[in-house]
Amino acid sequence: MKYFNVTVMEKGKKRQELIKADNKMSAIKIAKEKFPRAMMMKAVETSAPLEDTISNLFSGLKKGMKSKIPLNDKIATIRQIAVMTDAGIPINDTLQEVAENTENKQLQEIYLKINNDILAGNSMSDSMEPFTEQFGHVALAMTDLGERTGNISEAYHKLADIMESIRDNTAKFKKAIRGPMITLGAMGIAFTILIMVVVPKFKDIFSKFETELPLPTRILLNLEWAFSNYGLYILILLAGSIFALKFFYKNSDGFKYQMDKLLIHPKFFLINKAIFLSTMHKYNLVFGELVKSGIPVSEALDTAVGMVDNLAMKEQLLTVNANIGRGMNLAEAFKITGLYQNMLLQMIKAGEAGGQLGCNA
């Protein structure tokens, strides 16, 4: 939604009214309905008022916090559905039982809604589609596969395995970046102690020098002065910057793309490798498991790329399906992305040639 300042002429007097609408014509239409006796002069797009910006900020944060469901809870319920359907229990009774037994209130609401939609005549995959954000694209693909093959149990056992592998991969990724983050934190604390404790002791000595001090020394003295006089403001600014960085990373695709591109840059030693390998493991794992399960390569690629969080890498991987549509084989399409080593490309090529891509993936 956009905001427009609509100039209104009523009883010989002009005034501006702030109207929220999709476009200029809609803003004028809304203004006419709101002020039927007035004449609409013009509508000019403007920025959102401060109170609306703050409201949208907090509603976005609230929505983000609400939609986050622990992965272990999702895996437990999916495994339970697989076991119960394997025992021959109808899907309606299964979903009802799972909803009643799960301790996660959000999952409970979701499964009850899915069950109600199925009772209303919808398929399970259609009923799950509104909750793609909560469960992920792979859950929707495996549900659709289970319905097509008539074996929800096997599909959900495989889905639980995939999600467990993703969980373990995520844990390894967090462990890999924990070391560099602790090191950076320790360096920050040591630098602060140096500025606040060590530098002041040499300040009087430096002031007695008649010659101009070296640039690094002058920088340290200026930092000490800034920290001593504006330390609280610097701390607030730093906290606000981190908060703004997180907010724009979650809510702005353009900002997220630039940050993701920066994070996989070679200059980010260790962190870039951890992000790259973690993302590629997740993508290849999902793609390989979906192909093994019998999902067509094109659909498996679309589902797998939906699991990629890094927008810079996602942009490269999105070209794979497009190039296959132009008649290129899978190995060539992967090679163009520049994300695959020659050994992996040879394995994919061999899998394609032998008709056993799922095994090699």
Side-chain angles (χ1 to χ4, degrees), residues 188-349:
I189 293 170
F191 182 73
T192 304
I193 293 172
L194 173 69
I195 294 295
M196 300 301 295
V197 179
V198 179
V199 173
K201 293 182 178 180
F202 291 91
K203 195 174 181 180
D204 294 334
I205 299 173
F206 292 147
S207 63
K208 295 177 183 178
F209 291 168
E210 297 180 358
T211 58
E212 186 178 358
L213 295 171
L215 180 61
T217 305
R218 279 183 281 142
I219 292 173
L220 283 174
L221 290 173
N222 288 329
L223 284 173
E224 187 275 331
W225 177 84
F227 274 52
S228 298
N229 293 278
Y230 302 101
L232 182 60
Y233 298 105
I234 292 172
L235 186 64
I236 293 171
L237 180 64
L238 182 63
S241 299
I242 293 171
F243 177 81
L245 196 69
K246 287 183 176 180
F247 174 76
F248 285 113
Y249 186 79
K250 290 180 179 179
N251 295 277
S252 172
D253 288 340
F255 183 80
K256 184 177 180 345
Y257 175 81
Q258 294 299 329
M259 285 297 298
D260 286 344
K261 191 175 181 181
L262 186 66
L263 287 171
I264 58 173
H265 195 275
K267 288 183 179 179
F268 274 79
F269 183 64
L270 291 180
I271 293 177
N272 67 326
K273 283 290 184 185
I275 293 172
F276 176 81
L277 293 174
S278 174
T279 302
M280 291 304 295
H281 176 271
K282 186 191 295 185
Y283 175 80
N284 291 319
L285 169 72
V286 173
F287 173 65
E289 293 296 340
L290 293 179
V291 171
K292 285 179 189 177
S293 300
I295 292 177
V297 170
S298 180
E299 291 181 26
L301 286 169
D302 282 338
T303 304
V305 83
M307 302 295 293
V308 176
D309 297 322
N310 188 290
L311 291 185
M313 294 178 67
K314 190 172 188 176
E315 183 182 52
Q316 293 172 282
L317 292 168
L318 280 170
T319 63
V320 176
N321 221 349
N323 286 329
I324 289 175
R326 297 188 186 102
M328 197 177 291
N329 65 47
L330 189 60
E332 290 174 344
F334 277 140
K335 186 177 181 180
I336 289 174
T337 64
L339 300 174
Y340 284 81
Q341 296 178 352
N342 287 331
M343 183 183 71
L344 293 174
L345 293 171
Q346 291 299 322
M347 290 178 66
I348 293 168
K349 192 173 182 179

Side-chain angles (χ1 to χ4, degrees), residues 20-147:
K20 187 177 179 182
D22 291 325
N23 50 57
K24 188 183 291 187
M25 294 304 294
S26 298
I28 293 173
K29 185 179 179 181
I30 292 169
K32 282 181 179 179
E33 292 173 355
K34 195 173 181 181
F35 310 102
R37 296 182 182 180
M39 182 185 294
M40 304 299 124
M41 304 295 291
K42 62 178 180 179
V44 180
E45 187 175 346
T46 185
S47 58
L50 181 61
E51 57 269 21
D52 282 16
T53 304
I54 295 171
S55 176
N56 291 336
L57 171 63
F58 281 104
S59 63
L61 289 172
K62 188 177 179 181
K63 183 181 176 183
M65 290 173 64
K66 186 180 178 182
S67 62
K68 191 173 183 180
I69 301 173
L71 188 57
N72 284 333
D73 290 352
K74 288 186 281 188
I75 292 171
T77 56
I78 287 167
R79 188 73 77 183
Q80 189 177 352
I81 292 171
V83 171
M84 292 181 73
T85 52
D86 193 27
I89 300 173
I91 190 64
N92 301 111
D93 294 338
T94 297
L95 292 174
Q96 185 69 36
E97 185 70 22
V98 169
E100 290 175 359
N101 286 314
T102 183
E103 294 180 0
N104 189 292
K105 298 297 181 183
Q106 205 173 342
L107 272 177
Q108 187 179 71
E109 291 176 8
I110 289 172
Y111 281 123
L112 287 174
K113 287 178 182 177
I114 292 172
N115 193 27
N116 290 334
D117 286 346
I118 292 173
L119 289 171
N122 295 325
S123 66
M124 189 173 178
S125 55
D126 288 341
S127 301
M128 280 193 69
E129 194 168 356
F131 308 105
T132 305
E133 185 179 349
Q134 284 83 3
F135 284 99
H137 295 278
V138 67
L140 195 63
M142 294 305 290
T143 302
D144 184 56
L145 175 68
E147 285 187 308

